Amino acid sequence: DTEVTQTPKHLVMGMTNKKSLKCEQHMGHRAMYWYKQKAKKPPELMFVYSYEKLSINESVPSRFSPECPNSSLLNLHLHALQPEDSALYLCASSQGLERNTEAFFGQGTRLTVV
Amino acid sequence: KNQVEQSPQSLIILEGKNCTLQCNYTVSPFSNLRWYKQDTGRGPVSLTIMTFSENTKSNGRYTATLDADTKQSSLHITASQLSDSASYICVVSPTGGSYIPTFGRGTSLIVHP
């Protein structure tokens, strides 16, 4: 199994809503990532978890709150988002931060904030 | 500052033709370089990963080269197919420190019948 599964595939939410994005992998990877990608731009790193601990937070606003309940799951909790937060949110995983191994991406969640 | 520059920005070719995409980087110290294919609205899919000691790596019709001295990489696509139409992203990771990879802006490839 070399899949990273993201749910939901599409999400439309209002600026006062609270929602969560979910990511799951069963490859035994110990590093998991959240990226944000706007149209025609490369993915931008948001958060990195290594061994279930938050390792990197790229100065992401507090309306985005990551959570790593266990080594297979990564959530991104959303609250009070702005329309400019609309984007494709990608989850990725790799064996570890320091390894020269591939990072596998999920198919993304297309988020629209109205 | 770590940077990854890709060229061309976009490319249009006829089905069956070959093409080569370029990636220049300033990431240091270097750990690995990856090429990804990303279809519109989908997650990136890994094509190759290369470390310092590797010069060439193939994956089907995709062949990546790496010159760690000049900090250049290329991705050669042979006998292009309509399904090759996508964005091709070069990603370079450093060693030590935070290991945060740097993404290129991608080359948008369109294959016409």
Side-chain angles (χ1 to χ4, degrees):
Chain A
D1 182 4
T2 57
E3 278 198 2
V4 175
T5 304
Q6 289 187 243
T7 55
K9 288 186 169 52
H10 301 276
L11 178 63
V12 179
M13 60 185 290
M15 289 188 284
T16 58
N17 292 158
K18 284 185 182 180
K19 296 286 184 184
S20 296
L21 310 184
K22 297 186 184 302
C23 175
E24 189 169 1
Q25 57 87 15
H26 296 288
M27 295 177 277
H29 288 175
R30 304 316 298 263
M32 296 186 76
Y33 314 76
W34 278 116
Y35 285 86
K36 172 184 176 180
Q37 187 176 27
K38 303 285 269 185
K40 299 188 187 302
K41 296 284 180 64
E44 296 175 11
L45 184 66
M46 300 175 71
F47 302 103
V48 181
Y49 272 82
S50 177
Y51 289 85
E52 301 158 52
K53 288 186 169 51
L54 183 63
S55 178
I56 295 169
N57 176 344
E58 288 288 278
S59 302
V60 180
S62 59
R63 57 185 185 269
F64 295 92
S65 175
E67 178 198 17
C68 190
N70 60 55
S71 59
S72 299
L73 294 175
L74 184 66
N75 299 324
L76 185 63
H77 302 298
L78 314 173
H79 173 54
L81 294 194
Q82 303 296 313
E84 58 265 28
D85 295 322
S86 298
L88 180 68
Y89 287 84
L90 294 165
C91 173
S93 72
S94 65
Q95 283 191 4
L97 284 183
E98 73 286 4
R99 308 281 182 86
N100 282 320
T101 57
E102 298 183 45
F104 292 85
F105 282 83
Q107 290 302 308
T109 294
R110 171 67 62 188
L111 174 68
T112 303
V113 181
V114 297
Chain B
K1 181 183 176 183
N2 289 334
Q3 288 187 310
V4 176
E5 300 287 340
Q6 291 188 243
S7 62
Q9 185 176 351
S10 58
L11 184 62
I12 302 174
I13 62 174
L14 290 176
E15 185 180 12
K17 297 296 186 184
N18 304 336
C19 66
T20 301
L21 314 180
Q22 300 290 344
C23 174
N24 296 338
Y25 62 92
T26 61
V27 176
S28 182
F30 174 84
S31 175
N32 63 72
L33 183 147
R34 310 170 192 175
W35 283 95
Y36 286 90
K37 176 187 178 187
Q38 185 175 25
D39 293 312
T40 301
R42 309 293 294 274
V45 175
S46 178
L47 297 176
T48 65
I49 177 171
M50 301 177 73
T51 57
F52 185 88
S53 59
E54 296 175 296
N55 300 120
T56 303
K57 185 168 278 190
S58 292
N59 178 2
R61 293 180 297 103
Y62 301 102
T63 299
T65 65
L66 174 65
D67 186 333
D69 292 330
T70 61
K71 295 185 169 51
Q72 295 180 325
S73 175
S74 66
L75 180 69
H76 186 74
I77 305 175
T78 304
S80 60
Q81 300 176 358
L82 298 180
S83 58
D84 292 332
S85 297
S87 180
Y88 291 83
I89 305 174
C90 176
V91 184
V92 184
S93 294
T95 187
S98 64
Y99 307 103
I100 296 177
T102 300
F103 282 70
R105 298 179 69 86
T107 291
S108 176
L109 175 65
I110 299 173
V111 181
H112 277 306

